[in-house]
Amino acid sequence: MSLSKALVALAGVVVTYASNLGDAGIVSEQDVQRNFEAEMSDSGNSARLQSLEDALRLTYKALPKNEHGNLGHEAVRYALHRMFIQRHGWFIKGLEPGSERSRSRPDTEEETDSEWVPSYLQTVLESRVGEEGASLHDLSALAAVLEDLVDSEARGRLAAAYDILDLPKDKSVEVKEVKEAVKAYYVSFLLSGNFSASSRWEALERMKRFEQHYTDWTPADGWMHDLLNNKFDSKSSFTFDEVSEMVESIGENYYKFNDVECRELKGILSGIEGIKAGRVRLSFFYQKGLHSHWRFNEKKEYLKVLGALDDSDPNNPQVILPNYIMARPNCLESSNLYAICCRNECEDLMTSIESDVGSDSATPARIADLVSKLPSDTVAAPRSLSEGLLSRLEEVALSNNGQVPLHGRLFAQWMHHAYPRECPYPHEASENPQTPDEWMAAVGAGGSQLTEAEMRETVEQDQCASGLMSGRLPNPEDCGDATGHELPWNPAEQLLVQTSAPGRRITDEVEGTDGDVSASPFALTDLLVVVGVIGFLVWQFYQVQHGKGNYKIKDDRDFFGQKEQEASGDWKPAAALAALACLAWFVDLLDLTIFLCTLLGSVGSILIQRFGQAKGGSNLCDDPFGKCCV
């Protein structure tokens, strides 16, 4: 991938600490504050904000809202993450799911990691809007600020390239020198900013060495010229601002070139997957790394931290194809603010579903109909969904009050089953206590990769992989795939927005099993409550019918002094229970199903007791209301 190519090229470009382009344009807290105030006060480009609103509108409409009709904290992060991936192929650092970091500025000024920016920016917004949440305009303003910061970084790196090449920034520069400056920026871009020089001559020499060592430099350079040739040919000289627009367009469009390599990677892995779609036996993975230009050498432990390992069968660990393709080692860390990774193809599928549904949830039948008509790169349509897929979809609805939330973990898992090569498997947040960066910091960069000897040993110990090396296609049963095509399923739900129903929150961890189907614990609780309430009412009715109810005959005098006799049942506990249920629902302590069952059970109990009173009273004087005036 691009990162590994950059590492090879970096070996041929000796790095010094003189004018390192990667150190230019680093974002500060003041930059964030200044850009935020400019966008929120509409002093920025209103046409640009409108364009961003248009780009965000569909996702905004489909996301669950808070009580004010706006987006909550996690929904804002999700919407921004989705937009930048679709718009530019940018994985904004600090916006990836589960990657939220401290919301304060890094402790040291030398800190170049900018993952703090999105959380800090969101904190600034939330301090302004309070608990009301983010409107579509607020969301577009946040997106505009992040784009502004990215552009500012690009301008800073270009300014550093101008300084190294001794080019003036206050007047126009000839096209030949402009091409040198753009090339210096592009080399720095491909080297994740790790390019420096102390003079013009040294910079030009290092760019030449980079061309010689960077794999596929010819197509990469050709793509850049195809992007900018129209501008190069339009004038003989350019201002710094005009050249800044050129380098900004490189960052905004590079994902299109990167997608070519991503599709090639997907094809390579799909060609060696096992009987389970979207899964590659670990030994096959290493075997391909030994006999191709792809660097498939990540340790099993590192693959697990990346979320790219399916170890549900300890005897047959497998690489999860879409999770690996989008994993951080395959990304180009071209900016301090974002990385360019292989795009999540599932986002395009989700966009289509959101557009058709127009809400944050839908019935299982509606989703099944849409997905059956929705093709992907490897799944043809129309198709008939399997009974297993339909059953899983019903399970998701069962644990979410009859609806399927489009932005919950269970639906993401269902999409992985429906599109196993396009949609990543969604791990629970608690499964990986360390991020890849934290794991790398703990074990060191070299601790993430196997040596060639270790890879060969792993392959040779696996009969299937050694058979593949000799040209013999392995028997799936011999390779531990006799369990069939079924992918693992974990019944734990996790929603993007916390709702008022505990049944729709993740408060307990649920262990998944290999292909085992089990209902959500909350759905099981609901079922038990329903059965219990019905059983109690039947038992109470039986007591009344057979005269076993606890109904007392009391004597009293009415308003006119006449003597009254009444069969009195004890209805007060049922009424108290109904009141408590209402209170618990009001403070979000009861699931909707349990609340309704409790309320209806209490009302039913009172009605049955009234029937018992009537029955008791009729034994006294055949008064249908259980009273007898004497």
Side-chain angles (χ1 to χ4, degrees), residues 10 84 131 201 207 214 233 335 353 358 405 435 461 470 532 534 601:
L10 185 60
F84 281 113
E131 296 181 356
W201 177 86
M207 284 190 279
Y214 188 78
D233 295 340
S335 163
I353 294 173
T435 66
Q461 290 176 350
S470 63
I534 294 175

Side-chain angles (χ1 to χ4, degrees), residues 13 81 101 172 210 276 360 377 381 395 436:
V13 181
H81 175 68
R101 294 171 54 128
S172 295
F210 178 83
K276 294 181 179 180
D360 62 340
D377 181 42
E395 287 179 46

Side-chain angles (χ1 to χ4, degrees), residues 224-502:
M224 188 264 289
H225 279 88
D226 288 342
L227 179 68
L228 300 179
N229 269 344
N230 287 339
K231 295 183 178 180
F232 288 150
D233 295 340
S234 64
K235 298 173 63 177
S236 60
S237 63
F238 297 86
T239 66
F240 180 80
D241 288 342
E242 290 171 333
V243 181
S244 294
E245 292 179 1
M246 294 182 191
V247 298
E248 288 166 12
S249 68
I250 291 176
E252 293 169 355
N253 292 280
Y254 185 80
Y255 75 93
K256 298 174 184 177
F257 177 73
N258 193 56
D259 277 352
V260 176
E261 194 170 59
C262 293
R263 286 194 294 271
E264 183 182 352
L265 173 61
K266 181 181 178 181
I268 290 293
L269 292 176
S270 297
I272 57 173
E273 69 179 18
I275 193 171
K276 294 181 179 180
R279 296 292 192 278
V280 175
R281 191 177 182 88
L282 190 59
S283 55
F284 288 10
F285 178 76
Y286 292 145
Q287 191 271 340
K288 178 61 71 173
L290 287 168
H291 297 87
S292 72
H293 69 281
W294 297 98
R295 298 166 61 89
F296 298 148
N297 59 3
E298 290 86 359
K299 287 184 178 179
K300 180 173 67 174
E301 296 79 8
Y302 187 49
L303 289 170
K304 184 174 180 62
V305 172
L306 293 171
L309 186 72
D310 176 359
D311 57 357
S312 55
D313 180 0
N315 297 320
N316 182 21
Q318 300 181 74
V319 177
I320 307 174
L321 192 150
N323 293 55
Y324 178 78
I325 291 174
M326 292 182 290
R328 203 61 173 264
N330 295 323
C331 300
L332 175 62
E333 305 285 341
S334 51
S335 163
N336 290 322
L337 289 161
Y338 67 84
I340 296 178
C341 306
C342 290
R343 295 176 70 239
N344 184 349
E345 295 179 70
C346 203
E347 300 289 359
D348 298 329
L349 300 171
M350 282 295 298
T351 298
S352 177
I353 294 173
E354 289 172 347
S355 177
D356 287 326
V357 171
S359 178
D360 62 340
S361 63
T363 63
R366 175 66 172 150
I367 289 177
D369 178 63
L370 292 174
V371 170
S372 68
K373 302 172 184 176
L374 185 61
S376 73
D377 181 42
T378 62
V379 176
R383 59 170 167 158
S384 296
L385 300 184
S386 68
E387 288 298 323
L389 276 176
L390 295 174
S391 175
R392 300 273 192 207
L393 196 57
E394 292 291 342
E395 287 179 46
V396 178
L398 181 63
S399 62
N400 289 285
N401 299 320
Q403 291 282 308
V404 177
L406 298 185
H407 307 99
R409 184 195 163 274
L410 285 181
F411 183 62
Q413 184 175 218
W414 187 84
M415 287 291 286
H416 174 66
H417 280 234
Y419 301 95
R421 300 177 188 90
E422 286 77 33
C423 295
Y425 176 81
H427 295 278
E428 286 187 81
S430 60
E431 286 188 44
N432 290 331
Q434 286 182 306
T435 66
D437 289 341
E438 290 169 344
W439 192 88
M440 290 282 284
V443 303
S448 66
Q449 299 175 350
L450 293 178
T451 64
E452 184 173 322
E454 291 171 329
M455 292 169 65
R456 290 189 181 279
E457 181 180 1
T458 302
V459 171
E460 291 170 357
Q461 290 176 350
D462 187 340
Q463 178 182 354
C464 294
S466 58
L468 185 65
M469 290 175 65
S470 63
R472 178 178 60 85
L473 293 177
N475 186 331
E477 293 188 1
D478 296 337
C479 298
D481 287 336
T483 53
H485 298 77
E486 185 69 25
L487 297 176
W489 181 268
N490 182 343
E493 179 64 296
Q494 184 174 0
L495 297 177
L496 186 64
V497 173
Q498 303 290 4
T499 69
S500 58

Side-chain angles (χ1 to χ4, degrees), residues 7-241:
L7 292 175
V8 173
L10 185 60
V13 181
V14 180
V15 178
T16 69
Y17 291 97
S19 302
N20 193 324
L21 269 65
D23 294 337
I26 295 176
V27 174
S28 68
E29 184 176 332
Q30 291 72 27
D31 295 330
V32 176
Q33 289 274 9
R34 182 173 59 255
N35 282 278
F36 176 81
E37 293 300 332
E39 297 296 350
M40 291 299 292
S41 64
D42 288 329
S43 62
N45 190 330
S46 59
R48 175 165 168 255
L49 284 179
Q50 185 60 52
S51 173
L52 288 169
E53 286 188 19
D54 292 341
L56 288 161
R57 183 169 284 106
L58 180 61
T59 300
Y60 183 88
K61 180 181 178 182
L63 286 173
K65 311 295 191 301
N66 60 20
E67 61 271 22
H68 302 287
N70 295 322
L71 297 186
H73 184 82
E74 291 300 326
V76 166
R77 298 173 63 81
Y78 177 86
L80 292 173
H81 175 68
R82 281 274 301 272
M83 191 213 74
F84 281 113
I85 288 176
Q86 293 176 322
R87 193 175 176 91
H88 303 305
W90 294 346
F91 282 69
I92 298 293
K93 298 179 181 181
L95 271 185
E96 307 100 316
S99 66
E100 186 166 13
R101 294 171 54 128
S102 171
R103 301 184 185 183
S104 61
R105 181 71 171 87
D107 292 335
T108 63
E109 290 301 320
E110 293 78 12
E111 179 65 73
T112 60
D113 176 17
S114 296
E115 290 192 28
W116 61 273
V117 172
S119 291
Y120 178 80
L121 181 58
Q122 198 170 358
T123 300
V124 174
L125 172 67
E126 291 171 352
S127 66
R128 173 176 294 204
V129 301
E131 296 181 356
E132 291 188 4
S135 65
L136 179 59
H137 176 76
D138 296 333
L139 193 62
S140 65
L142 291 181
V145 173
L146 288 170
E147 282 193 343
D148 290 340
L149 295 175
V150 169
D151 290 345
S152 177
E153 180 190 58
R155 290 174 64 90
R157 290 187 175 184
L158 179 64
Y162 264 56
D163 291 340
I164 293 173
L165 296 170
D166 294 325
L167 301 178
K169 294 188 285 291
D170 57 350
K171 59 183 179 180
S172 295
V173 176
E174 296 295 321
V175 66
K176 179 182 177 181
E177 296 173 320
V178 166
K179 288 182 178 181
E180 291 176 346
V182 170
K183 186 176 180 179
Y185 173 87
Y186 191 38
V187 169
S188 173
F189 182 90
L190 296 175
L191 282 173
S192 303
N194 204 351
F195 177 81
S196 62
S198 57
S199 68
R200 174 185 178 83
W201 177 86
E202 185 179 10
L204 295 176
E205 284 297 312
R206 288 184 174 178
M207 284 190 279
K208 287 182 182 178
R209 288 203 297 270
F210 178 83
E211 292 178 27
Q212 296 168 0
H213 291 85
Y214 188 78
T215 307
D216 293 336
W217 165 254
T218 299
D221 185 51
W223 171 84
M224 188 264 289
H225 279 88
D226 288 342
L227 179 68
L228 300 179
N229 269 344
N230 287 339
K231 295 183 178 180
F232 288 150
D233 295 340
S234 64
K235 298 173 63 177
S236 60
S237 63
F238 297 86
T239 66
F240 180 80
D241 288 342

